[in-house]
Amino acid sequence: MTSILIKDVSLSFGSVDVLKSLNLDIADGEFLVLLGPSGCGKSTLLNCIAGLLDVSAGQIFIKGKNVTWAEPKDRGIGMVFQSYALYPQMTVRGNLSFGLKNARMAKDEIERRVARAAEILQIEPLLDRKPAQLSGGQRQRVAIGRALVRDVDVFLFDEPLSNLDAKLRSELRVEIKRLHQRLGNTMVYVTHDQIEALTLADRIAIMKGGVIEQLDTPHEIYNRPVNRYVAGFIGSPGMNFLEGVIDGAGEPMFVADGASIPLSRYAFAAAAPRGVPATFGIRPEHVSANSGMDWPFSMKSRVDVVEPMGSDTLVWTKLGKQDVAVRMPSERAPRLGDEVTIGFDPMRASVFDSGSGQRL
Ligand SMILES: Nc1ncnc2c1ncn2[C@@H]1O[C@H](COP(=O)(O)OP(=O)(O)OP(=O)(O)O)[C@@H](O)[C@H]1O
Ligand SMILES: [Mg+2]
């Protein structure tokens, strides 16, 4: 069943079109991540769902009800903002119950909800402290708690972890995942952190300039990006891109800098085009060096730069003049200047039209 339906939604600030006829269908209980660079319209879209911004055109439905012009409080949503501004003079308990008191909810019901949220978020020992006496991660949990006590169907998160350090981010990321598994609510989560997106999402909507470039599972987005933009945005270290042409009268080949990469095992979206400029993309983790295996494509190359990354090492080699990074276990990494045999299966590649950037 559909939880949130966004139909042809556009939003302009003056002459600036921030959202451009956007469509999105979010299922009941789904964890949907809006991912994209700064300024692409993620917060704007979230604020439209929340009712904090009026759309210029289009409609928004929540649980089948047209809420396009409904007040935020009548939409059945709870929102966690990036800047979580807790009331400094109130205790954690006061912060959690404030909105409910304003809504004139019965005292025992408020107590029940605060106790439940505190238990879920494991902040029970902190209920009588003030925000200044909490760590950043604890404050963030209280901010989530404020949305949780509202007992809503849909949670909206706008970069809730962005002002935490890396370690705390990864800890709270797991907690948000647990929270979703336990509650089963629909969650829409904005981030520009691709690791958060890949680990949390059922589906990711990758945005750019007010449009959704791809809406898919993390697995599909990682393995079959629809265009070069998505391919380059997802994955760290990033995908290798080689410029060349698709050639061959018999089996299609990608030809670049004197190398011919067979594409007979590559799943083209339509019939393989011939003689067109193309970009061959392959992720560093899908290229091997000195593996001793019999790859459909392999060649000799020299190591140009070695970047240790802890458990893995990124080894930079070249195909002609073009860079090819290989991600491999550090204990097997070659040294600077070594000659290595790199190899891969073109089945793992993504091939794009160099002009349009679309996947071929
Ligand atoms: N009130 C406003 N008036 C004019 N332009 C605005 C207004 N609010 C946002 N914008 C513009 O709309 C675009 C999208 O902004 P938005 O806040 O949705 O981006 P975002 O994807 O959330 O970025 P970030 O990752 O930096 O938070 C930006 O170019 C921004 O400058
Ligand atoms: Mg934003």
Side-chain angles (χ1 to χ4, degrees):
M1 194 189 137
T2 296
S3 175
I4 305 174
L5 179 65
I6 294 165
K7 250 183 113 184
D8 295 323
V9 162
S10 297
L11 187 140
S12 311
F13 291 114
S15 61
V16 187
D17 298 332
V18 176
L19 301 178
K20 299 166 189 163
S21 198
L22 215 131
N23 286 286
L24 187 56
D25 187 336
I26 304 169
D28 215 11
E30 180 168 21
F31 199 122
L32 185 106
V33 172
L34 300 174
L35 176 69
S38 190
C40 71
K42 306 180 294 293
S43 296
T44 304
L45 178 56
L46 204 69
N47 287 332
C48 288
I49 298 172
L52 301 171
L53 281 174
D54 287 340
V55 303
S56 310
Q59 291 174 315
I60 298 173
F61 297 82
I62 297 179
K63 295 250 160 187
K65 204 174 117 199
N66 189 336
V67 296
T68 314
W69 304 108
E71 291 290 319
K73 65 174 174 48
D74 299 329
R75 296 191 180 202
I77 48 123
M79 184 146 172
V80 182
F81 296 93
Q82 177 173 353
S83 53
Y84 41 75
L86 301 175
Y87 298 108
Q89 75 283 15
M90 286 183 199
T91 61
V92 168
R93 190 190 309 279
N95 270 283
L96 291 178
S97 50
F98 183 72
L100 305 180
K101 277 185 188 151
N102 271 355
R104 300 184 183 284
M105 188 177 281
K107 199 159 171 257
D108 54 342
E109 176 63 10
I110 295 179
E111 272 170 23
R112 195 188 63 77
R113 291 199 186 183
V114 169
R116 175 171 172 270
E119 188 257 316
I120 290 172
L121 295 168
Q122 295 171 18
I123 50 174
E124 289 148 309
L126 311 176
L127 281 172
D128 295 313
R129 290 203 205 166
K130 301 234 169 111
Q133 299 164 309
L134 303 176
S135 72
Q138 290 166 338
R139 275 180 224 161
Q140 192 60 63
R141 273 182 243 189
V142 177
I144 295 172
R146 279 197 307 199
L148 217 56
V149 291
R150 298 205 44 226
D151 204 15
V152 291
D153 296 323
V154 174
F155 286 113
L156 307 176
F157 292 92
D158 193 354
E159 308 222 26
L161 308 183
S162 62
N163 42 24
L164 303 176
D165 66 46
K167 185 163 178 294
L168 210 47
R169 275 182 91 114
S170 57
E171 285 172 16
L172 270 176
R173 196 174 71 212
V174 181
E175 289 190 25
I176 289 178
K177 186 140 189 162
R178 281 207 191 96
L179 187 69
H180 181 246
Q181 284 165 0
R182 173 164 173 188
L183 300 177
N185 294 55
T186 308
M187 294 192 177
V188 186
Y189 186 103
V190 165
T191 184
H192 56 244
D193 181 322
Q194 53 162 309
I195 303 298
E196 270 176 32
L198 291 167
T199 52
L200 289 172
D202 292 319
R203 284 189 307 164
I204 303 175
I206 300 213
M207 293 180 67
K208 179 190 170 192
V211 299
I212 294 174
E213 295 274 324
Q214 186 167 5
L215 171 65
D216 238 319
T217 61
H219 182 268
E220 280 295 305
I221 285 189
Y222 178 82
N223 290 295
R224 269 180 291 278
V226 293
N227 57 36
R228 185 179 163 154
Y229 172 79
V230 173
F233 196 82
I234 285 281
S236 173
M239 189 181 270
N240 293 299
F241 292 114
L242 302 169
E243 297 301 332
V245 293
I246 296 184
D247 212 350
E251 289 296 338
M253 294 272 187
F254 175 81
V255 181
D257 286 19
S260 292
I261 300 173
L263 295 176
S264 44
R265 281 159 60 81
Y266 178 78
F268 280 98
R274 299 297 165 91
V276 297
T279 306
F280 182 91
I282 184 117
R283 297 197 182 280
E285 49 273 41
H286 295 152
V287 187
S288 74
N290 292 341
S291 68
M293 281 173 63
D294 188 15
W295 294 102
F297 175 79
S298 63
M299 58 169 258
K300 287 200 186 314
S301 185
R302 207 164 280 285
V303 175
D304 190 57
V305 177
V306 176
E307 280 189 285
M309 305 190 300
S311 65
D312 288 353
T313 293
L314 201 60
V315 175
W316 289 86
T317 64
K318 289 219 186 282
L319 183 151
K321 288 199 181 69
Q322 307 192 56
D323 292 321
V324 179
V326 183
R327 184 174 186 164
M328 58 193 301
S330 293
E331 62 276 12
R332 291 206 298 104
R335 279 191 274 189
L336 186 65
D338 283 358
E339 185 174 77
V340 291
T341 301
I342 63 170
F344 53 79
D345 187 340
M347 215 170 75
R348 305 300 300 263
S350 290
V351 184
F352 306 102
D353 181 308
S354 293
S356 68
Q358 294 303 309
R359 185 184 188 87
L360 292 171

